[in-house]
Amino acid sequence: MRNIRPYIYYLLWLLMISFIFYQSLQIASVSDEKSLFFVYLLQNNLNINIDTDLLNHIIRKCAHFSEYTLLGILAIQAHKKYPINRYYPLFNYLIPIIDECIQYFVPLRSCQISDMLLDSLGISFGFIVYLTIQKYFSSHKVKH
């Protein structure tokens, strides 16, 4: 039986892209409500005394970065054994552009170049994390 593992990573990669686009389709009030949940959770349970708007902004930017870091990790894992082509890493950098363009058409959301850049940094960070971990484990394998 053929190894199914690479296909699972492709599926996870596609699901992550779908999740990102789904989040972009949420109207502003729904999106804000989700991030405010974490703001109030931090303020009430961890006694963090940061202005609500500032903490909301920080959480939203961290969400952008972490979503795209995971996307970068999944992308490189999905394509490492059976690459679509050698340009697949570049394709991943189109996703933040598409994501922000989706938001342009959603009521009270906006298309921000700063978010595109942050998302792209997240992808790059995901690539770096994956490659660093891979290099670490490959250099620590027991050689016979």
Side-chain angles (χ1 to χ4, degrees):
M1 184 181 231
R2 289 172 49 170
N3 187 358
I4 194 167
R5 195 167 159 190
Y7 299 106
I8 291 172
Y9 286 114
Y10 272 121
L11 178 62
L12 290 173
W13 177 67
L14 291 171
L15 286 173
M16 189 63 197
I17 294 169
S18 299
F19 172 78
I20 289 169
F21 289 167
Y22 173 77
Q23 294 300 322
S24 291
L25 289 167
Q26 302 297 307
I27 60 172
S29 60
V30 172
S31 178
D32 204 42
E33 186 178 310
K34 288 178 183 180
S35 59
L36 284 172
F37 169 80
F38 291 102
V39 168
Y40 297 137
L41 186 74
L42 290 171
Q43 286 179 331
N44 296 331
N45 296 319
L46 297 179
N47 204 20
I48 294 177
N49 295 322
I50 297 176
D51 177 66
T52 301
D53 290 335
L54 176 61
L55 189 55
N56 188 32
H57 180 76
I58 292 168
I59 287 173
R60 293 178 77 83
K61 298 308 172 188
C62 286
H64 269 267
F65 188 80
S66 60
E67 283 175 343
Y68 280 91
T69 296
L70 180 57
L71 182 69
I73 292 168
L74 290 172
I76 207 163
Q77 181 65 36
H79 296 92
K80 83 175 188 182
K81 188 163 183 161
Y82 301 110
I84 295 173
N85 67 45
R86 64 182 180 198
Y87 300 109
Y88 83 88
L90 297 176
F91 171 77
N92 287 283
Y93 292 102
L94 291 175
I95 296 168
I97 296 168
I98 296 167
D99 178 33
E100 290 299 313
C101 288
I102 289 170
Q103 290 183 40
Y104 179 79
F105 296 102
V106 176
L108 301 176
R109 299 286 301 263
S110 62
C111 175
Q112 298 181 346
I113 293 175
S114 61
D115 282 349
M116 289 179 205
L117 295 173
L118 182 64
D119 299 343
S120 296
L121 284 173
I123 291 170
S124 297
F125 184 69
F127 288 166
I128 291 167
V129 166
Y130 180 85
L131 294 172
T132 302
I133 291 170
Q134 182 184 34
K135 183 176 181 177
Y136 173 80
F137 282 110
S138 66
S139 67
H140 286 83
K141 282 186 180 178
V142 177
K143 296 182 180 178
H144 297 282

